[in-house]
């Protein structure tokens, strides 16, 4: 059909622009398919702790799908602007609007078919690999519980069909609405220049800084998540406004200085102003996508890196038994021991810790004030131990006079001064117990202190409020997998009602599943973000190259040497490429302080670890970004090099 | 300005000995200081190529071009760039101004490139702006201006450095007749004050403002006429007659 021939011709003519769009469309199709396939094939249905991963999987799919939709519309919008050039020519030669719509529809359908075929093909090819990678990161030994879901294939094709349908619809409406006069002139409409946006520029800085300060100042864990979201919102708006207005204001200020009229500054500052006016949205988008990548990867990497420490903090022994002391009916710890014997499991390193009371307090100088809100920040958790019980548990014969205490904390930090006040009584520290075998676990986010005092005082001030016993065992010999599983099931089921028995092993498996799953999905999201970033970079360089080309010809003609122009151009390109990276690093810095606090509540891992992991993430990212900038920069340079004299001198 | 001497200049593209690929054949003429010269010819006559050679944007295949004591055809790329910057002013038909600069900065660009002190030229800038009617446009960007306004800004840029030679390529090509007339009057004024101008055009009206017209046909100078004491209108008539001869 005649129209389809024109459509195919158009595609060939606009290869430069359509090919990246096609690549992105195919890759996004593939990514969406891989995730949807994982969801539909329900690979985790038999794994208990994988629930949270499945939830995260669905959220990730939602995010990637949303990004896909936004990107498809953005890219198509960009393509249709350049399409207008050809179409105005056709309409001049006599094509009516219905036929023009037909051409575009055919172009879109061809692109749709191409991206789906290639995308699904890629997706199927990589989905098994992705699943294997995911299982490996979760330390799941799946005897290839991988399934290809045909439902997923159909769903993806349908989803993209709907996307393309809307795109076609939107384009058709645009064409019918345009009058031909605009059609001809819709090629390069220069933007309406406004006055220098002083007010908006200043506001942009204010909004941005407010977002940053909010991120820095929130300490209350309950408020943290909503405040974080608010800070994110402010930073997003702030970044867009800063790139659009704030930067112009800064450059205008630089223009006013005397040094402006030196060649380097002259071209640089005016050139940057011009570039920012055109590309501020692209640059801000790149910045935010990079920030999203950095935050996603560093958070999931920190969690993954710190997962073993969660284990260590919670499990001073491999088997932990928690029983209520009052219930003398069942000695849970004894049951666990006999169950172990029954199943041929050898236990060792038995330790016991009796707790008589437990209170939360906030520190005010040296006075600890009891508070009842367990979710406040900077809490101190005092676990009170009657010295008689302590001696019984440890086979010691210690004595404490009145108002004297022993205390213990994990990490042996010196958190108490020689004298302190608690429950309105002044206590003196006799000694800090530094015993690494102390059977204490710690709750992340709080400072846990174990206080030993004589029984008279314990009863007087703390009244035996919460009495329970911890028993802990290590495992000398696990026996066969089946035996170990039976032992765990038996102990756990017997505990019901009398306390609980928990196993480090289970926690270990669960942590690997959850953290491994998070890391995988974080990585996948990062790849999608960077794919979009690369494309936005590419299209930006394309647009700028085409519009700047003429300027460079003129510059050469009025007497700027080629090498001089090259140097200046390179500097400009470097600055505009670096700006989003710099801002996203700053965003990461502020986000990190907030995220670090959040992370501390999940895993009590060493904050140095988080800083290391985040820095490594930033470095790797900077390298990837530099490579992408370089590659897309080549488009720009190849476009402006095309300044053959004959191009613009006719006759 | 010292003389501009074009001696036996030829330009070919492709294989040298093939007669049909000569764009310019053995061009000879001189331009004295203070002259206002038009070069006329149809499309494809070689006039734009000649302009490119004079502008040091291209090199002749044979012959020499001398401005005063500088051999323009012997220069390498960076020497040419410096030469253009220091000696020439350009007014083109299109792509004249840089979109990244305000009109003021566009006009000052040659000063900045020559590393001179911008403050020394403020007076001249204001004077030129007044003469060219640009005072309200200085802080705007080229794409906010009409074609005629842009050409006037380009003229100011060409003139600010008081160059040895102004090269103009169809400066009125994209303008309507009244704006053309204004621009040509301005150029004539500056020439009366001593500015040397060389203009390439195929508009007889434009050429009638100059005081010497060279006619180019098929790469050679076919004819040359001088204004002498004639008025613009009289000169115009003479030019039209000569053009008609060109086409017979």
């Amino acid at each position: 059909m005649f129209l389809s021939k024109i459509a195919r011709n158009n595609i060939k003519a606009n290869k430069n622009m359509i090919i990246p769009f096609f690549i992105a469309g195919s890759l996004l199709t593939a990514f969406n398919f891989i995730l949807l396939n994982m969801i539909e094939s329900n690979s985790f249905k038999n794994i208990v702790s994988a629930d949270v991963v499945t939830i995260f999987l669905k959220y990730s799919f939602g995010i990637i799908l949303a990004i896909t939709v936004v990107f498809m519309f953005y890219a198509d919008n960009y393509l249709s602007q350049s399409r207008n050039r050809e179409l105005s020519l056709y309409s001049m030669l006599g094509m009516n609007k219905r036929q023009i719509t037909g051409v575009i529809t055919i172009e879109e359908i061809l692109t749709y078919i191409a991206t789906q075929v290639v995308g699904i093909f890629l997706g199927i090819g990589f989905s098994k690999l992705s699943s294997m990678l995911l299982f490996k990161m979760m330390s799941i030994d799946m005897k290839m519980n991988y399934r290809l879901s045909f439902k997923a294939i159909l769903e993806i094709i349908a989803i993209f069909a709907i996307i393309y349908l809307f795109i076609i619809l939107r384009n058709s409406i645009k064409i019918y609405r345009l009058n031909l006069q605009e059609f001809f002139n819709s090629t390069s409409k220069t933007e309406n220049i406004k006055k220098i946006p002083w007010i908006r520029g200043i506001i942009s800085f204010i909004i941005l800084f407010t977002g940053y300060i909010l991120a820095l100042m929130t300490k209350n864990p309950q408020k943290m998540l909503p405040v974080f979201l608010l800070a994110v919102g402010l930073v997003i708006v702030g970044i867009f406004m800063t790139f659009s207005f704030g930067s112009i204001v800064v450059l205008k200020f630089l223009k006013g200085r005397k040094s402006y009229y030196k060649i380097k500054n002259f071209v640089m500052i005016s050139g940057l102003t011009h570039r920012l006016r055109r590309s501020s949205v692209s640059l801000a988008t790149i910045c935010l996508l990079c920030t999203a990548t950095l935050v996603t990867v560093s958070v999931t990497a920190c969690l993954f890196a710190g997962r073993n420490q969660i284990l260590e903090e919670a499990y001073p022994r491999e088997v932990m038994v928690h029983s209520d002391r009052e219930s003398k009916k069942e000695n849970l710890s004894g049951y666990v021991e006999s169950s172990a014997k029954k199943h041929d499991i050898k236990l060792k390193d038995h330790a016991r810790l009796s707790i008589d009371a437990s209170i939360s307090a906030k520190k005010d100088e040296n006075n600890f004030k009891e508070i009842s809100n367990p979710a406040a920040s900077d809490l101190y958790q005092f676990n009170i131990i009657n010295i008689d019980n302590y001696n019984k548990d440890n086979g010691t014969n210690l004595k404490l006079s009145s108002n004297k205490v022993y205390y213990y904390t994990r990490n042996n930090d010196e958190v108490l001064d020689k004298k302190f006040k608690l429950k309105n009584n002044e206590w003196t520290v006799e000694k800090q117990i530094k015993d690494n075998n102390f059977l204490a676990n710690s709750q992340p986010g709080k400072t846990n202190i174990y206080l030993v005092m004589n029984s008279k005082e314990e009863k007087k001030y703390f009244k035996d409020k919460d009495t329970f016993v911890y028993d802990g065992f290590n495992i000398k010999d696990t026996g066969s997998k089946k035996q170990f599983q039976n032992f765990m099931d038996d102990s756990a089921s017997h505990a019901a009602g009398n306390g609980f028995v928990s196993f480090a092993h289970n926690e270990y498996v669960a942590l690997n599943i959850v953290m491994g799953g998070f890391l995988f999905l974080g990585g996948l999201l990062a790849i999608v973000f960077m794919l979009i970033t690369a494309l936005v970079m590419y299209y930006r360089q394309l647009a700028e190259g085409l519009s700047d080309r003429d300027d460079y010809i003129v510059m050469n003609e009025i007497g700027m040497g080629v090498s001089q122009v090259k140097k200046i151009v390179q500097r400009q390109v470097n600055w505009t490429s670096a700006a989003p990276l710099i801002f996203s690093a700053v965003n990461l810095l502020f986000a990190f302080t907030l995220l670090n606090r959040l992370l501390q509540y999940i895993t009590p891992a060493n904050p140095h670890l988080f800083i290391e992991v985040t820095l490594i993430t930033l470095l790797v990212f900077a390298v990837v970004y530099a490579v992408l900038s370089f590659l897309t920069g080549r488009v720009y340079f190849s476009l402006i090099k095309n300044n053959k004299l004959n191009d613009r001198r006719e006759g | 300005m010292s003389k501009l001497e074009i001696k036996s200049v030829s330009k070919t593209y492709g294989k040298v000995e093939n007669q049909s690929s000569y764009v310019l054949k053995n061009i000879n003429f001189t331009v004295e200081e203070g002259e206002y010269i038009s070069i006329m010819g149809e499309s494809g006559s070689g006039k734009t190529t000649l302009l490119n050679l004079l502008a040091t944007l291209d090199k002749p295949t044979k012959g020499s071009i001398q401005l005063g004591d500088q051999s323009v055809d012997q220069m390498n790329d960076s020497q040419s760039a410096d030469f253009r910057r220091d000696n020439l002013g350009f007014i083109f038909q299109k792509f004249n101004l840089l979109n990244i600069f305000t009109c003021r900065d566009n006009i000052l660009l040659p000063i900045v490139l020559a590393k001179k002190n911008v403050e020394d030229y403020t007076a001249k800038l204001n004077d030129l702006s007044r003469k060219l009617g640009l005072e309200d446009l200085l802080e705007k960007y080229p794409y906010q201006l009409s074609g005629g306004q842009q050409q006037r800004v380009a003229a100011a840029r060409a003139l600010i450095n008081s160059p040895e030679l102004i090269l103009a390529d169809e400066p009125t090509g994209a303008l309507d007749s009244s704006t053309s007339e204004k621009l040509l009057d301005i150029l004539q004024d500056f020439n009366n004050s001593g500015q040397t101008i060389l203009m390439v055009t195929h508009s007889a009206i434009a050429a009638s403002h100059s005081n010497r017209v060279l006619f180019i046909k098929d790469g050679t100078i076919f004819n040359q006429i001088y204004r002498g004491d004639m008025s613009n209108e009289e000169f115009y008539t003479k030019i039209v007659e000569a053009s008609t001869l060109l086409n017979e």
Side-chain angles (χ1 to χ4, degrees):
Chain A
M1 207 197 20
F2 158 70
L3 287 181
S4 78
K5 195 153 182 224
I6 295 189
R8 268 179 281 147
N9 226 25
N10 276 350
I11 294 180
K12 243 186 256 166
N14 282 321
K15 249 192 328 209
N16 233 12
M17 299 234 218
I18 293 204
I19 286 187
F21 178 64
F22 160 73
I23 293 177
S26 310
L27 285 173
L28 284 171
T29 306
F31 282 126
N32 277 293
F33 170 73
I34 289 175
L35 277 179
L36 193 58
N37 190 49
M38 279 181 187
I39 296 174
E40 295 289 2
S41 59
N42 228 344
S43 346
F44 304 131
K45 66 174 174 247
N46 293 325
I47 303 173
V48 171
S49 18
D51 282 359
V52 69
V53 179
T54 311
I55 293 175
F56 197 54
L57 196 61
K58 291 186 180 159
Y59 271 116
S60 301
F61 175 68
I63 292 175
I64 291 184
L65 187 58
I67 292 178
T68 303
V69 171
V70 171
F71 172 75
M72 302 287 277
F73 275 92
Y74 160 83
D76 180 77
N77 196 35
Y78 188 83
L79 283 179
S80 65
Q81 279 174 18
S82 66
R83 241 195 236 125
N84 281 344
R85 244 170 271 141
E86 270 99 40
L87 295 177
S88 54
L89 184 64
Y90 290 135
S91 84
M92 193 169 72
L93 296 173
M95 267 176 91
N96 63 36
K97 285 190 178 174
R98 196 165 54 86
Q99 288 169 311
I100 293 177
T101 312
V103 171
I104 293 192
T105 308
I106 294 178
E107 272 184 52
E108 299 284 3
I109 292 179
L110 287 174
T111 317
Y112 166 72
I113 295 176
T115 52
Q116 292 306 285
V117 165
V118 174
I120 303 254
F121 185 67
L122 277 175
I124 293 179
F126 279 98
S127 104
K128 179 150 188 182
L129 188 67
S130 309
S131 293
M132 276 171 59
L133 184 64
L134 175 61
F135 295 152
K136 181 92 204 270
M137 287 170 97
M138 291 163 96
S139 302
I140 298 180
D141 177 29
M142 302 291 292
K143 302 260 170 49
M144 289 309 90
N145 204 7
Y146 164 78
R147 229 191 60 203
L148 187 65
S149 159
F150 282 104
K151 184 171 173 219
I153 297 180
L154 291 174
E155 281 174 341
I156 291 290
I157 293 180
I159 290 174
F160 277 85
I162 295 176
I163 295 176
Y164 271 88
L165 206 67
F166 274 102
I167 289 179
I168 290 174
L169 210 67
R170 190 177 82 148
N171 282 329
S172 310
I173 294 177
K174 261 204 265 186
I175 291 172
Y176 270 95
R177 280 232 194 106
L178 271 186
N179 71 53
L180 277 177
Q181 181 71 332
E182 283 170 45
F183 220 41
F184 282 112
N185 300 329
S186 69
T187 42
S188 50
K189 214 57 228 178
T190 52
E191 71 262 27
N192 215 356
I193 230 190
K194 299 156 191 118
K195 297 195 205 93
I196 306 292
W198 292 107
I199 298 180
R200 269 172 294 179
I202 296 185
I203 290 180
S204 71
F205 290 130
I206 294 178
I207 292 183
L208 194 61
F209 284 133
T210 310
Y212 286 153
I213 290 177
L214 260 181
L216 276 182
M217 297 193 60
T218 331
K219 292 200 157 94
N220 187 336
Q222 270 187 325
K223 291 218 189 86
M224 249 186 227
L225 203 54
V227 170
F228 180 65
L229 291 174
L230 178 63
V232 167
L234 284 173
V235 168
I236 289 179
V237 172
I239 289 280
F240 270 104
M241 288 187 72
T242 302
F243 272 97
S244 304
F245 308 120
S247 56
I248 311 272
V249 164
V250 169
L251 285 169
K252 177 68 179 184
F253 171 72
L254 286 173
K255 239 192 198 180
R257 287 154 84 223
K258 264 199 173 164
S259 54
Y260 174 56
Y261 283 108
K262 302 225 157 54
I263 301 181
K264 275 206 199 117
N265 297 340
F266 195 57
V267 182
M268 184 73 162
I269 293 174
S270 283
L272 273 179
T273 309
H274 180 75
R275 205 175 289 276
L276 278 165
R277 278 206 150 105
R278 303 186 72 91
S279 301
S280 58
V281 173
S282 307
L283 289 170
T285 307
I286 292 173
C287 175
L288 291 169
L289 283 171
C290 290
T291 307
T293 307
L294 281 169
V295 169
T296 310
V297 173
S298 55
V299 167
T300 50
C302 283
L303 283 175
F304 189 76
R307 72 194 187 286
N308 285 328
Q309 267 155 304
I310 301 178
L311 199 62
E312 282 166 25
E313 290 294 305
Y315 284 86
R317 291 288 187 278
E318 286 162 19
V319 183
M320 292 291 288
V321 182
H322 175 148
S323 33
D324 182 8
R325 221 187 319 154
E326 292 309 311
S327 129
K328 297 276 200 318
K329 296 175 280 180
E330 293 280 1
N331 182 347
L332 188 51
S333 157
Y335 185 85
V336 169
E337 286 179 282
S338 58
S339 172
K341 237 181 242 155
K342 196 164 50 163
H343 292 95
D344 233 350
I345 311 279
K346 292 195 179 51
L347 300 173
K348 62 173 184 174
D349 297 336
H350 178 205
R352 169 170 286 185
L353 180 69
S354 308
I355 305 284
D356 294 285
S358 186
I359 63 166
S360 309
K362 256 194 128 76
K363 186 173 179 182
D364 179 11
E365 309 251 326
N366 247 344
N367 184 5
F368 291 91
K369 295 207 186 108
E370 183 175 4
I371 66 168
S372 50
N373 177 8
S377 57
D378 293 333
L379 275 184
Y380 286 78
Q381 191 72 28
F382 284 95
N383 300 287
I384 314 295
I385 304 170
N386 183 322
I387 199 167
D388 296 335
N389 286 326
Y390 182 79
N391 284 331
K392 204 165 37 153
D393 291 338
N394 292 291
T396 48
N397 200 5
L398 298 170
K399 288 202 188 2
L400 275 173
S401 37
S402 60
N403 298 327
K404 293 247 169 51
V405 292
Y406 295 122
Y407 81 94
Y408 171 84
T409 54
R410 289 281 285 216
N411 307 321
N412 295 324
D413 290 334
E414 292 190 5
V415 296
L416 290 176
D417 287 340
K418 187 82 176 160
K419 288 196 195 299
F420 66 95
K421 265 179 117 183
L422 179 64
K423 284 276 197 187
N424 278 323
N425 183 44
E426 192 176 75
W427 309 87
T428 311
V429 173
E430 177 78 20
K431 194 170 95 161
Q432 183 180 7
I433 302 173
K434 294 188 179 181
D435 173 9
N436 289 329
N437 260 327
F438 201 93
L439 190 70
N441 58 11
S442 54
Q443 292 159 290
K446 298 182 187 180
T447 309
N448 291 280
I449 301 179
Y450 294 84
L451 227 49
V452 183
M453 59 182 64
N454 74 44
S455 46
K456 229 193 333 192
E457 264 150 10
E458 185 269 305
K459 290 193 171 26
K460 174 173 164 199
Y461 289 101
F462 300 96
K463 304 187 186 75
D464 278 357
K465 230 163 70 123
D466 288 301
T467 58
F468 49 88
V469 183
Y470 284 119
D471 283 279
F473 303 91
N474 279 333
I475 299 179
K476 193 152 139 197
D477 177 8
T478 54
S480 77
K481 261 206 178 155
K482 188 149 187 265
Q483 282 177 309
F484 191 62
Q485 190 62 47
N486 290 340
F487 162 59
M488 286 199 287
D489 294 338
D490 183 26
S491 309
S493 59
H494 188 82
N498 296 325
F500 30 91
V501 185
S502 34
F503 297 89
H505 169 86
N506 291 339
E507 183 85 5
Y508 174 76
V509 169
L511 279 170
N512 275 335
I513 288 176
V514 172
M515 301 309 184
F518 278 7
L519 185 61
F520 175 86
L521 289 170
L524 197 63
L525 280 172
I527 293 178
V528 172
F529 291 152
M530 290 317 286
L531 175 66
I532 309 280
T533 302
L535 265 128
V536 174
M537 278 182 183
Y538 178 83
Y539 280 129
R540 176 179 80 85
Q541 301 285 34
L542 205 63
E544 287 182 5
L546 286 172
S547 87
D548 290 348
R549 180 165 35 173
D550 299 333
D551 279 359
Y552 290 119
I553 295 175
V554 176
M555 274 196 229
N556 185 38
E557 281 167 352
I558 61 177
M560 280 181 88
V562 170
S563 63
Q564 203 175 20
V565 174
K566 255 197 209 163
K567 255 188 255 165
I568 293 181
V569 171
Q570 187 66 61
R571 269 181 82 197
Q572 271 194 41
V573 169
N574 289 345
W575 270 106
T576 39
S577 299
L581 178 65
I582 294 173
F583 272 95
S584 59
V586 171
N587 289 344
L588 177 68
L589 183 70
F590 284 101
F592 178 74
T593 50
L594 182 59
L595 290 169
N596 198 17
R597 282 198 207 108
L598 266 172
L599 283 173
Q600 297 278 14
Y601 277 90
I602 302 175
T603 146
N606 188 354
H608 288 303
L609 177 68
F610 291 156
I611 295 177
E612 269 176 45
V613 170
T614 306
L615 276 176
I616 293 176
T617 308
L618 185 58
L619 250 100
V620 171
F621 177 82
V623 170
V624 170
Y625 184 88
V627 169
L628 282 177
S629 294
F630 175 74
L631 289 174
T632 53
R634 288 199 329 188
V635 172
Y636 181 79
F637 283 106
S638 72
L639 276 174
I640 64 175
K641 261 198 202 123
N642 255 347
N643 61 349
K644 294 210 197 65
L645 229 49
N646 305 322
D647 256 11
R648 72 189 224 57
R649 297 236 167 280
E650 304 94 83
Chain B
M1 170 200 117
S2 11
K3 290 189 286 192
L4 172 71
E5 288 180 33
I6 294 102
K7 288 201 190 115
S8 310
V9 162
S10 299
K11 179 70 185 173
T12 56
Y13 292 108
K15 297 207 181 19
V16 179
E17 292 315 314
N18 184 353
Q19 273 292 92
S20 61
S21 67
Y22 269 91
V23 181
L24 293 171
K25 279 187 278 229
N26 208 17
I27 305 278
N28 282 288
F29 68 93
T30 313
V31 179
E32 302 291 341
E33 186 169 1
E35 284 205 81
Y36 184 173
I37 299 200
S38 297
I39 299 180
M40 286 191 73
E42 296 301 314
S43 305
S45 57
K47 62 184 194 296
T48 304
T49 310
L50 179 59
L51 192 73
N52 286 347
L53 294 179
L54 297 176
T56 69
L57 297 171
D58 201 356
K59 286 209 188 12
T61 318
K62 277 191 238 166
S64 73
I65 301 174
Q66 199 104 344
L67 182 66
D69 52 4
Q70 300 187 73
S71 289
V72 159
D73 51 288
Q74 307 285 352
M75 296 180 179
N76 65 29
D77 279 342
S78 71
Q79 287 169 329
S80 305
D82 291 344
F83 175 80
R84 287 196 289 280
R85 185 192 68 208
D86 296 332
N87 295 288
L88 302 178
F90 294 90
I91 308 177
F92 297 136
Q93 185 176 4
K94 298 188 295 182
F95 309 134
N96 248 318
L97 304 174
L98 293 170
N99 285 316
I100 64 178
F101 292 118
T102 56
C103 290
R104 171 192 298 271
D105 286 346
N106 263 295
I107 297 173
L108 289 172
L109 187 54
I111 308 294
V112 176
L113 286 181
K115 297 195 176 128
K116 297 193 195 153
N117 190 358
V118 161
E119 285 169 349
D120 297 341
Y121 285 84
T122 323
K124 184 133 195 226
L125 173 71
N126 292 333
D127 183 49
L128 282 172
S129 310
R130 218 177 355 97
K131 289 203 179 117
L132 291 160
L134 299 173
E135 280 144 318
D136 296 330
L137 306 176
L138 287 178
E139 299 310 325
K140 295 207 170 158
Y141 284 85
Y143 47 82
Q144 293 176 283
L145 269 48
S146 70
Q149 290 169 322
Q150 286 187 35
Q151 281 297 38
R152 283 184 277 140
V153 175
R157 180 187 69 193
L159 290 161
I160 189 128
N161 231 350
S162 307
E164 295 284 338
L165 174 65
I166 287 199
L167 296 172
D169 183 6
E170 304 284 7
T172 59
L175 305 177
D176 63 67
S177 56
S178 70
T179 321
S180 295
E181 195 61 35
K182 282 202 198 109
L183 182 68
L184 290 168
D185 284 343
I186 290 168
L187 288 177
Q188 205 167 17
D189 281 341
F190 277 104
N191 175 247
N192 290 337
S193 312
Q195 177 67 54
T196 315
I197 303 178
L198 190 147
M199 176 171 67
V200 161
T201 182
H202 60 237
S203 155
I205 298 179
S208 68
H209 287 73
S210 60
N211 41 45
R212 173 150 74 113
V213 180
L214 280 76
F215 292 90
I216 287 194
K217 184 176 177 177
D218 295 331
T220 56
I221 297 183
F222 187 80
N223 195 1
Q224 191 173 194
I225 56 179
Y226 286 80
R227 176 204 278 273
D229 294 324
M230 285 184 260
S231 68
N232 283 4
E233 291 78 11
E234 289 164 346
F235 197 29
Y236 171 77
T237 315
K238 198 127 187 260
I239 292 170
V240 170
E241 281 172 14
S243 305
T244 324
L245 270 173
L246 204 69
N247 294 326
E248 277 170 11

